[in-house]
């Protein structure tokens, strides 16, 4: 926060945020099917295709930056009585 009259820095704040991310994966479905089938006495002859899936999700930098700006404005607005000029 800068003083309009003098250009002096009246207040500043640093904010940080960890980006949210998550992921999951599934694999070996074909092997599971072969195992279940063999326990029931059925032979697939090794022709069961193996299937796998992976997914991940990340918070965008734009969203994180917006949250940081909002947090900084909120924090500074709570401290404004310390630097308000008459």
């Amino acid at each position: 926060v800068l003083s309009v009259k003098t250009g002096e820095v009246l207040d500043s704040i640093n904010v940080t945020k960890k980006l949210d991310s998550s992921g999951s994966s599934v694999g070996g479905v074909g092997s599971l099917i072969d195992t279940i089938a063999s326990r029931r006495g059925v032979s697939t002859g090794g022709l069961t295709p193996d299937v796998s899936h992976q997914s991940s999700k990340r918070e965008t930098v734009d969203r994180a930056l917006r949250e940081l700006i909002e947090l900084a404005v909120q924090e500074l607005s709570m401290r404004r009585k310390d630097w308000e000029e008459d």
Side-chain angles (χ1 to χ4, degrees), residues 32-83:
L32 176 64
I33 292 171
D34 279 341
T35 302
I36 293 171
S38 68
R39 287 186 180 178
R40 293 185 177 185
V42 178
S43 174
T44 60
L47 299 176
T48 308
D50 195 14
V51 179
S52 64
H53 172 74
Q54 293 181 345
S55 69
S56 64
K57 182 180 178 182
R58 279 188 157 184
E59 180 179 26
T60 66
V61 174
D62 291 339
R63 180 181 298 258
L65 184 58
R66 175 171 291 281
E67 288 180 17
L68 287 170
I69 291 169
E70 289 173 359
L71 177 62
V73 168
Q74 181 183 13
E75 290 286 326
L76 286 170
S77 69
M78 289 189 296
R79 296 175 6 186
R80 77 177 201 189
K81 290 181 182 176
D82 297 339
W83 42 261

Side-chain angles (χ1 to χ4, degrees), residues 4-33:
V4 176
K5 293 179 185 174
T6 65
E8 176 187 7
V9 176
L10 301 174
D11 202 351
S12 65
I13 189 170
N14 291 322
V15 290
T16 60
K17 180 181 186 323
K18 184 176 178 182
L19 291 177
D20 296 327
S21 65
S22 63
S24 64
S25 65
V26 176
V29 176
S31 299
L32 176 64
I33 292 171

